[in-house]
mmCIF file of all heavy atoms in Angstrom:
data_model
loop_
_atom_site.group_PDB
_atom_site.id
_atom_site.type_symbol
_atom_site.label_atom_id
_atom_site.label_comp_id
_atom_site.label_asym_id
_atom_site.label_seq_id
_atom_site.Cartn_x
_atom_site.Cartn_y
_atom_site.Cartn_z
ATOM 1 N N PHE A 241 -54.667 2.486 5.354
ATOM 2 C CA PHE A 241 -55.556 3.643 5.368
ATOM 3 C C PHE A 241 -55.836 4.142 3.952
ATOM 4 O O PHE A 241 -56.989 4.413 3.591
ATOM 5 C CB PHE A 241 -54.931 4.739 6.217
ATOM 6 C CG PHE A 241 -55.808 5.938 6.417
ATOM 7 C CD1 PHE A 241 -57.001 5.835 7.108
ATOM 8 C CD2 PHE A 241 -55.432 7.180 5.926
ATOM 9 C CE1 PHE A 241 -57.815 6.942 7.307
ATOM 10 C CE2 PHE A 241 -56.229 8.289 6.115
ATOM 11 C CZ PHE A 241 -57.430 8.172 6.806
ATOM 12 N N VAL A 242 -54.782 4.284 3.133
ATOM 13 C CA VAL A 242 -55.015 4.809 1.777
ATOM 14 C C VAL A 242 -55.786 3.801 0.929
ATOM 15 O O VAL A 242 -56.561 4.187 0.038
ATOM 16 C CB VAL A 242 -53.696 5.220 1.083
ATOM 17 C CG1 VAL A 242 -53.028 6.359 1.827
ATOM 18 C CG2 VAL A 242 -52.744 4.044 0.909
ATOM 19 N N ARG A 243 -55.594 2.510 1.198
ATOM 20 C CA ARG A 243 -56.369 1.520 0.463
ATOM 21 C C ARG A 243 -57.849 1.630 0.838
ATOM 22 O O ARG A 243 -58.729 1.496 -0.019
ATOM 23 C CB ARG A 243 -55.834 0.120 0.747
ATOM 24 C CG ARG A 243 -56.278 -0.911 -0.282
ATOM 25 C CD ARG A 243 -55.636 -2.271 -0.070
ATOM 26 N NE ARG A 243 -54.217 -2.252 -0.429
ATOM 27 C CZ ARG A 243 -53.219 -2.305 0.450
ATOM 28 N NH1 ARG A 243 -53.473 -2.374 1.744
ATOM 29 N NH2 ARG A 243 -51.971 -2.293 0.058
ATOM 30 N N GLN A 244 -58.126 1.910 2.116
ATOM 31 C CA GLN A 244 -59.510 2.123 2.539
ATOM 32 C C GLN A 244 -60.113 3.356 1.873
ATOM 33 O O GLN A 244 -61.323 3.424 1.668
ATOM 34 C CB GLN A 244 -59.572 2.271 4.061
ATOM 35 C CG GLN A 244 -59.268 0.997 4.835
ATOM 36 C CD GLN A 244 -59.138 1.244 6.333
ATOM 37 O OE1 GLN A 244 -59.050 2.398 6.788
ATOM 38 N NE2 GLN A 244 -59.122 0.165 7.100
ATOM 39 N N ARG A 245 -59.246 4.305 1.542
ATOM 40 C CA ARG A 245 -59.707 5.529 0.874
ATOM 41 C C ARG A 245 -59.723 5.402 -0.653
ATOM 42 O O ARG A 245 -59.857 6.401 -1.341
ATOM 43 C CB ARG A 245 -58.828 6.702 1.294
ATOM 44 C CG ARG A 245 -58.983 7.117 2.752
ATOM 45 C CD ARG A 245 -60.408 7.557 3.059
ATOM 46 N NE ARG A 245 -60.588 8.006 4.411
ATOM 47 C CZ ARG A 245 -60.565 9.286 4.781
ATOM 48 N NH1 ARG A 245 -60.344 10.238 3.891
ATOM 49 N NH2 ARG A 245 -60.758 9.622 6.044
ATOM 50 N N GLY A 246 -59.548 4.183 -1.153
ATOM 51 C CA GLY A 246 -59.746 3.961 -2.571
ATOM 52 C C GLY A 246 -58.493 3.803 -3.400
ATOM 53 O O GLY A 246 -58.583 3.709 -4.635
ATOM 54 N N ALA A 247 -57.323 3.776 -2.772
ATOM 55 C CA ALA A 247 -56.091 3.588 -3.532
ATOM 56 C C ALA A 247 -56.052 2.176 -4.112
ATOM 57 O O ALA A 247 -56.616 1.234 -3.548
ATOM 58 C CB ALA A 247 -54.878 3.830 -2.648
ATOM 59 N N ARG A 248 -55.353 2.034 -5.236
ATOM 60 C CA ARG A 248 -55.226 0.722 -5.880
ATOM 61 C C ARG A 248 -53.943 0.055 -5.380
ATOM 62 O O ARG A 248 -53.851 -0.319 -4.233
ATOM 63 C CB ARG A 248 -55.245 0.907 -7.396
ATOM 64 C CG ARG A 248 -56.572 1.490 -7.905
ATOM 65 C CD ARG A 248 -56.482 1.919 -9.354
ATOM 66 N NE ARG A 248 -56.137 0.805 -10.240
ATOM 67 C CZ ARG A 248 -55.746 0.960 -11.503
ATOM 68 N NH1 ARG A 248 -55.668 2.173 -12.034
ATOM 69 N NH2 ARG A 248 -55.455 -0.096 -12.253
ATOM 70 N N ASP A 249 -52.933 -0.093 -6.224
ATOM 71 C CA ASP A 249 -51.665 -0.661 -5.761
ATOM 72 C C ASP A 249 -50.961 0.336 -4.841
ATOM 73 O O ASP A 249 -50.988 1.556 -5.082
ATOM 74 C CB ASP A 249 -50.744 -0.971 -6.947
ATOM 75 C CG ASP A 249 -51.245 -2.144 -7.773
ATOM 76 O OD1 ASP A 249 -52.027 -2.949 -7.230
ATOM 77 O OD2 ASP A 249 -50.875 -2.234 -8.961
ATOM 78 N N VAL A 250 -50.321 -0.183 -3.795
ATOM 79 C CA VAL A 250 -49.600 0.664 -2.841
ATOM 80 C C VAL A 250 -48.131 0.259 -2.819
ATOM 81 O O VAL A 250 -47.802 -0.898 -2.558
ATOM 82 C CB VAL A 250 -50.198 0.564 -1.421
ATOM 83 C CG1 VAL A 250 -49.417 1.455 -0.455
ATOM 84 C CG2 VAL A 250 -51.671 0.954 -1.432
ATOM 85 N N TYR A 251 -47.266 1.218 -3.116
ATOM 86 C CA TYR A 251 -45.823 1.043 -3.025
ATOM 87 C C TYR A 251 -45.336 1.802 -1.791
ATOM 88 O O TYR A 251 -45.965 2.775 -1.360
ATOM 89 C CB TYR A 251 -45.116 1.625 -4.250
ATOM 90 C CG TYR A 251 -45.525 1.030 -5.580
ATOM 91 C CD1 TYR A 251 -46.722 1.386 -6.193
ATOM 92 C CD2 TYR A 251 -44.699 0.128 -6.241
ATOM 93 C CE1 TYR A 251 -47.095 0.846 -7.410
ATOM 94 C CE2 TYR A 251 -45.060 -0.420 -7.467
ATOM 95 C CZ TYR A 251 -46.256 -0.049 -8.045
ATOM 96 O OH TYR A 251 -46.607 -0.580 -9.256
ATOM 97 N N ALA A 252 -44.213 1.373 -1.238
ATOM 98 C CA ALA A 252 -43.583 2.122 -0.144
ATOM 99 C C ALA A 252 -42.102 2.218 -0.442
ATOM 100 O O ALA A 252 -41.500 1.280 -0.978
ATOM 101 C CB ALA A 252 -43.800 1.433 1.198
ATOM 102 N N CYS A 253 -41.508 3.365 -0.113
ATOM 103 C CA CYS A 253 -40.076 3.515 -0.332
ATOM 104 C C CYS A 253 -39.471 4.376 0.770
ATOM 105 O O CYS A 253 -40.130 5.251 1.336
ATOM 106 C CB CYS A 253 -39.776 4.104 -1.708
ATOM 107 S SG CYS A 253 -40.407 5.766 -1.985
ATOM 108 N N ALA A 254 -38.212 4.088 1.078
ATOM 109 C CA ALA A 254 -37.482 4.813 2.116
ATOM 110 C C ALA A 254 -35.995 4.596 1.903
ATOM 111 O O ALA A 254 -35.584 3.605 1.291
ATOM 112 C CB ALA A 254 -37.896 4.337 3.505
ATOM 113 N N THR A 255 -35.194 5.521 2.423
ATOM 114 C CA THR A 255 -33.744 5.363 2.319
ATOM 115 C C THR A 255 -33.249 4.275 3.258
ATOM 116 O O THR A 255 -32.488 3.392 2.862
ATOM 117 C CB THR A 255 -33.040 6.690 2.644
ATOM 118 O OG1 THR A 255 -33.458 7.693 1.718
ATOM 119 C CG2 THR A 255 -31.526 6.539 2.560
ATOM 120 N N HIS A 256 -33.673 4.334 4.524
ATOM 121 C CA HIS A 256 -33.124 3.449 5.557
ATOM 122 C C HIS A 256 -34.155 2.398 5.960
ATOM 123 O O HIS A 256 -35.232 2.735 6.441
ATOM 124 C CB HIS A 256 -32.718 4.258 6.791
ATOM 125 C CG HIS A 256 -31.890 5.474 6.479
ATOM 126 N ND1 HIS A 256 -30.635 5.388 5.934
ATOM 127 C CD2 HIS A 256 -32.162 6.800 6.633
ATOM 128 C CE1 HIS A 256 -30.145 6.611 5.772
ATOM 129 N NE2 HIS A 256 -31.050 7.475 6.184
ATOM 130 N N ALA A 257 -33.809 1.126 5.780
ATOM 131 C CA ALA A 257 -34.721 0.027 6.120
ATOM 132 C C ALA A 257 -34.203 -0.697 7.355
ATOM 133 O O ALA A 257 -33.472 -1.677 7.267
ATOM 134 C CB ALA A 257 -34.840 -0.939 4.947
ATOM 135 N N LEU A 258 -34.569 -0.219 8.537
ATOM 136 C CA LEU A 258 -34.146 -0.864 9.780
ATOM 137 C C LEU A 258 -34.916 -2.157 10.014
ATOM 138 O O LEU A 258 -34.350 -3.154 10.472
ATOM 139 C CB LEU A 258 -34.344 0.090 10.958
ATOM 140 C CG LEU A 258 -33.636 1.448 10.849
ATOM 141 C CD1 LEU A 258 -33.965 2.302 12.062
ATOM 142 C CD2 LEU A 258 -32.142 1.271 10.720
#
Side-chain angles (χ1 to χ4, degrees):
F241 185 64
V242 297
R243 198 174 288 108
Q244 291 171 348
R245 292 299 182 97
R248 297 169 60 194
D249 290 338
V250 180
Y251 301 77
C253 63
T255 300
H256 312 295
L258 303 178

